[in-house]
Amino acid sequence: MLSFSQEMEQRAHLLKKLAFVIFCSESDQYQYCLPEIQERLAECIRLPQAPVLHEQVFLALRVLLLRMSPQHLTSLWPVIISETVHVMLQLESDLSTDDKSHDQRMLISETLLGTNGYVSYSQEKWLGLYLAAFKLLDLTLSLPGDRLPHFQMYRWAFEGGEVNCSSAMTTKSASGDGKTEKVTIFKPHIARIWKLLRKRCRKPEDITDLQRTSGRPLLTMYQIKSLDQLLPFLKCLSKPNRSELVAEDSKTKGGSQGVVLFERIVERDFLESLIAD
């Protein structure tokens, strides 16, 4: 009888095979199977404490975004957004629970992902999941808006700095005097994670400055051994007004070359187990 970890490894292997078959197909070749594919992904997502399996879910989602036309992906966006947010909330809670008790950590972990007990962000098995989630986000933020029109409604929740998330509100006191007060509305997930992770960095001034170009990926590594390797990516996406710059750039450059670059990254992710460290 297989142990839980062995079963998750087996499921992850089968899901990776499915993703590879779709990746090798023509555009929209398997769109008629999309409801069943989505159901299989949902089954994998419902299994707790399975970062190896969930990592392959994000790989499969990237493949679907590259191989399916936008009109066929409408029902998939709630899954993409919710799972990306869940992983980022998990990472954010892990980064911000150093001063919390063990019981508090367990409660946060169980609330977010249904895990049985607290899992430290530094454990190697979670790093692959975090990288997979950020690679999916990198894809959605880099491709032109006409390739992923539905995502444009959600991108504000992920990229941009604190400047984009505050507004001035005028309130009146009892005496009738107007008073302007700055009220924080929402800080994007990337900005929150960047702030927490930057505090752990010994030399934040040495973090590489990346420049995002439309259609070009920022994350090209196969794996990471530390969350510090994600700092340049987080720093880039945390810059104010990133969404405006990317959208403007996307209008002037074609998306076909960008798709090819992302396909190469996906190809190498499929071959990851064959590449020596």
Side-chain angles (χ1 to χ4, degrees), residues 31-184:
Q31 62 89 11
Y32 65 93
C33 298
L34 195 55
E36 186 175 353
I37 294 172
Q38 187 170 338
E39 180 59 31
R40 299 288 83 77
L41 293 177
E43 290 177 0
C44 295
I45 290 170
R46 284 194 290 266
L47 293 170
Q49 195 78 319
V52 175
L53 178 59
H54 293 170
E55 178 183 348
Q56 298 308 317
V57 170
F58 281 102
L59 176 61
L61 291 174
R62 286 161 60 201
V63 170
L64 290 173
L65 292 182
L66 291 170
R67 285 292 176 265
M68 298 292 175
S69 300
Q71 64 269 23
H72 300 311
L73 296 173
T74 304
S75 62
L76 202 62
W77 282 110
V79 177
I80 294 174
I81 299 301
S82 63
E83 291 312 306
T84 303
V85 169
H86 279 169
V87 172
M88 291 189 177
L89 288 176
Q90 171 70 19
L91 175 55
E92 184 181 345
S93 69
D94 288 339
L95 291 171
S96 59
T97 52
D98 280 352
D99 56 345
K100 290 181 171 60
S101 67
H102 178 71
D103 291 341
Q104 288 176 314
R105 296 182 183 192
M106 290 181 64
L107 178 61
I108 292 173
S109 184
E110 291 171 1
T111 301
L112 290 175
L113 293 180
T115 55
N116 183 17
Y118 174 75
V119 181
S120 172
Y121 81 94
S122 61
Q123 291 189 11
E124 184 177 352
K125 65 179 182 178
W126 288 97
L127 293 178
L129 174 60
Y130 293 146
L131 178 60
F134 283 125
K135 279 187 173 182
L136 175 63
L137 185 61
D138 189 24
L139 173 65
T140 55
L141 291 173
S142 298
L143 291 182
D146 58 348
R147 284 274 309 187
L148 304 175
H150 295 89
F151 178 71
Q152 308 314 309
M153 298 183 293
Y154 304 102
R155 65 184 304 150
W156 60 270
F158 298 101
E159 66 174 350
E162 192 171 1
V163 176
N164 290 340
C165 312
S166 59
S167 63
M169 182 175 66
T170 302
T171 58
K172 288 187 177 181
S173 61
S175 60
D177 297 332
K179 182 180 179 181
T180 301
E181 181 181 359
K182 190 175 182 180
V183 180
T184 299

Side-chain angles (χ1 to χ4, degrees), residues 201-219:
C201 184
R202 295 181 179 179
K203 296 182 178 180
E205 65 277 3
D206 293 339
I207 299 174
T208 305
D209 283 313
L210 297 180
Q211 183 65 43
R212 177 174 288 280
T213 303
S214 178
R216 292 186 176 274
L218 292 174
L219 296 175

Side-chain angles (χ1 to χ4, degrees), residues 1-11 14:
M1 184 176 179
L2 295 176
S3 65
F4 179 78
S5 60
Q6 290 174 328
E7 182 183 352
M8 293 304 101
E9 290 280 357
Q10 187 178 70
R11 284 176 176 262
L14 293 174

